Structures are given as C-alpha cells and as structure tokens.
Amino acid sequence: MSNDKKKALFICLGNICRSPIAEGVFQKTVNDMNVGDQWEIDSAAIGSWHVGNPPDWRALDTMKKHGVPYNNCARQIVSEDFNHYDFIFGMDEQNMRDLNKRAPKGSTAKLLLFGDFDPQGDRIIRDPYYDSDAKGFEKCYEQSVRCSKGFLESLQKETK
Ligand code: 4NP
C-alpha cells in the first residue's frame, strides 16, 4: 500500500548538517517502532551550494556514533515537494520563512518547525556548519531524537 505512505521531508539551509541528521534519526525512529514501511522520508536544502554532496563529516560522525545509517546526498527543494510531501519540517525560523515564501499557492504539505515537537521546548535547531567543533551536531542529534518521537506521538493522538 505504498500510496498510503505518509511522507516527510526535512529541510535546512545546506542539506549537509541538520536536515540529514533529522532525516536519519526520523528514519531510525520509525524503523525501531516497526513502522518504517509506512513512511517515505527525505531531506533537502533551501540553497543549491552543496547539491550532490554527502553530509558534512561531523554530521556523518555523529550519526555513526549513534548507530544511525545514512547514505543520501544533498539536493535542493523543488516546487513539486510542496504537494508530494505531507509534512515539510524546517530547522529554524529562517527556514520557515523561506519555505513559506517558496510554497506554491494552494500546495498541500504542512510546513512545520521540527522543534515545535520537542517536549523540552528547545524550538530552534541551530546551524552548526561554521562551528569549530562537533558539539552543535551532537545537540542537533539529541533534538532530532526528541522531536521525532514528539511528532510521532502527536500524530498518534490526532488519529485516536
Ligand atoms: P545546514 O548547514 O543548513 O544545517 O546544512 C549549512 C551548511 C552549509 C551552509 C550553511 C548552512 N553554507 O552556507 O554553505
């Protein structure tokens, strides 16, 4: 029943730091819940700078450390995404402004701030690209774990 799959797209500025981690963690979360086959999951960038590139090595290291498989490469969001996906998640307020600006009129995807699903209320997943270490990537991982669970719980409540 592939047509019934729920579809989620994770967005950040470059698609090499935060959204790959969010994508990998969300995929692992649904896999661990044995509902991975019910989801189509991807990530993409607002900008085109890193199209075709693998994630930043610190993002890959962080995922590896936590047993999150990942082998996707960066792509830029396209207008079709706004009707293909059910949920498009941004990482910060600038992502949300960019998404709202790019969404074609009448498109159906829900544009959501991923951090709004953090039970700890840490709403912004900060861009760690220019950091001199990997701490921001670890934080992004921890936030993605909480937000993935929080979002899936909110969906369950909605459908009950
Ligand atoms: P991301 O981080 O949006 O989390 O992937 C960034 C990566 C690259 C750039 C900015 C943010 N950049 O300007 O190249």
Side-chain angles (χ1 to χ4, degrees), residues 6-147:
K6 292 177 282 274
K7 304 184 187 79
L9 181 67
F10 295 88
I11 294 295
C12 63
L13 190 55
N15 194 206
I16 56 166
C17 299
R18 293 165 291 175
S19 58
I21 294 176
E23 175 197 359
V25 167
F26 191 79
Q27 182 74 66
K28 184 174 186 324
T29 306
V30 292
N31 288 352
D32 290 350
M33 292 166 74
N34 290 318
V35 294
D37 58 344
Q38 295 175 20
W39 284 88
E40 180 183 321
I41 299 160
D42 197 6
S43 64
I46 295 289
S48 62
W49 311 285
H50 300 282
V51 168
N53 292 345
D56 184 284
W57 65 271
R58 294 165 294 180
L60 288 173
D61 262 14
T62 302
M63 288 193 269
K64 203 168 173 190
K65 180 176 149 199
H66 293 284
V68 176
Y70 197 83
N71 57 21
N72 210 355
C73 288
R75 73 168 176 92
Q76 191 174 21
I77 193 166
V78 293
S79 48
E80 290 75 27
D81 289 324
F82 290 93
N83 283 305
H84 181 74
Y85 287 90
D86 301 302
F87 309 100
I88 300 182
F89 294 101
M91 302 295 130
D92 60 26
E93 304 279 15
Q94 187 59 50
N95 293 164
M96 298 315 296
R97 282 191 287 274
D98 289 335
L99 286 171
N100 280 296
K101 234 187 282 167
R102 282 179 194 217
K105 216 172 171 214
S107 55
T108 50
K110 283 188 185 164
L111 308 181
L112 302 167
L113 183 70
F114 198 31
D116 273 338
F117 298 94
D118 184 349
Q120 292 184 18
D122 200 351
R123 294 180 67 242
I124 302 303
I125 304 187
R126 190 187 61 80
D127 182 0
Y129 181 59
Y130 293 104
D131 293 0
S132 55
D133 59 24
K135 287 196 192 104
F137 290 79
E138 180 65 24
K139 182 163 187 219
C140 172
Y141 166 80
E142 302 292 348
Q143 288 178 280
S144 297
V145 169
R146 295 197 301 269
C147 295

